[in-house]
Amino acid sequence: MRDMAAPGDVHSADYLIEARDVVYDFGETPALRGANLSIREGEILAVMGPSGSGKSTLLHCLAAILVPKHGGIYLSGQRVDTLDENERSALRRDTFGFVFQFGQLVPELTAEENVALPLLLAGLRRDDALRRAREWFERLGIDGLERRRSGELSGGQAQRVALARGLVAHPKVLFADEPTGSLDSLTGELVMELVVTAARQDGTTVVLVTHEPRVAAYAGREVIVRDGLVNSLVHDALAP
Amino acid sequence: MSVPFALLGLLEREPSHGYDLKRDYDSYFGRSKPLPFGQVYATLGRLSRDGKVSPGEIEPGDGPDRKRFAITEAGKQEFETWLREPVEPEPHLQTVLFEKVLLALMLGRSAEQYLDTQRAAHLRRMRELTELKRQDSLIDALLADHGLFHLEADLRWMDMTAARLPSLASMVAT
Ligand SMILES: Nc1ncnc2c1ncn2[C@@H]1O[C@H](COP(=O)(O)OP(=O)(O)OP(=O)(O)O)[C@@H](O)[C@H]1O
Ligand SMILES: [Mg+2]
């Protein structure tokens, strides 16, 4: 089957990110059961699949947030899941952007402060960070909400603030978990348009979890997670 | 698209020659399937016979396109009624997909693999339509959207069907 690299036999420098034979469980609950996935630099990949199949867990393993129980995660051929917590956190800060599925904004901070966070963490001066953060609000159709506490935003507004935060530092890889989940169709389209434009301009690699085919259609390729395994949709033949 | 009603609608906007009607029809409704001239005149002929449009005076000059058609009161009413009526919801593609799934199960083939192959084909088409939509014609974008939502509906049906394959298989087996 294509795109299912067997562990150990791939020139992993061909890929920006690889998951090899990744196993993860939450105590009794298996979430990933030997997942393989190879992602090329600059690619926009949609990860689809039923609820509870392991999509978010896979994303968190790829993004060095969770450490697999077995198998490995490779970034440009270098193993990253064996790095210590400090190194992984530096990697996340410097290389990755995130849009999480749930509860991701700091409710006490204003919307613009939330967006500026990755820049502040990278050491930018506060007013520079806030100025760059503000540029995103109009593009995402949420201008006027810059100073609102993020706890006082609607679901769809908060989601766009989160997307701005994910993109503001021009990460090498953007991980987005259902970034259009609480948006109406037109706003979802606006958001995807922005993701694709940003990705094509900066060469950002995007890993996008979505259950909406119209959102997945912005990606160049899709995989399906089923029962903790990654499947590509293209089978060799319609064999009995 | 219903050609007679589209022409009536365009005529309700303003009286027009056949040529203008064809041009407007093609640019709004006939982007993938332009209307042949013959069909424009045949349709106008029928509408005119039924009193929905009137041909107006024959204008001086040569060529076939010397009549300016206008919509009549009866035409306006008929158009209005048509416009208010919902279209019969039509589950078109679903029947073929359904046949394939059921036959695959009956014949011991992998319905799951068929569904994956179909999903991939649907998503490929959706990617093309999305790319088309990202260029700037609003009309193309609206048409692409319609295609996209329909393909998405098919995909949702495939997901449901995939989830029900075990029950469906045991039903087919008995
Ligand atoms: N923090 C947790 N504690 C215990 N079990 C968990 C936790 N997070 C996820 N799981 C379990 O792991 C499995 C995979 O979950 P995951 O969140 O990766 O699914 P998903 O594909 O993202 O689903 P959804 O589409 O609903 O977001 C599920 O069975 C889920 O119940
Ligand atoms: Mg999830």
Side-chain angles (χ1 to χ4, degrees), chain A residues 55-57 101-102 177-178 209:
Chain A
K55 303 182 295 296
S56 295
T57 309
Q101 190 173 13
F102 303 112
D177 201 345
E178 299 283 4
V209 173

Side-chain angles (χ1 to χ4, degrees), chain B residues 3-21:
Chain B
V3 175
F5 287 109
L7 295 187
L8 277 179
L10 290 171
L11 285 173
E12 157 121 33
R13 212 175 44 161
E14 58 177 346
S16 306
H17 293 97
Y19 175 80
D20 299 321
L21 283 173

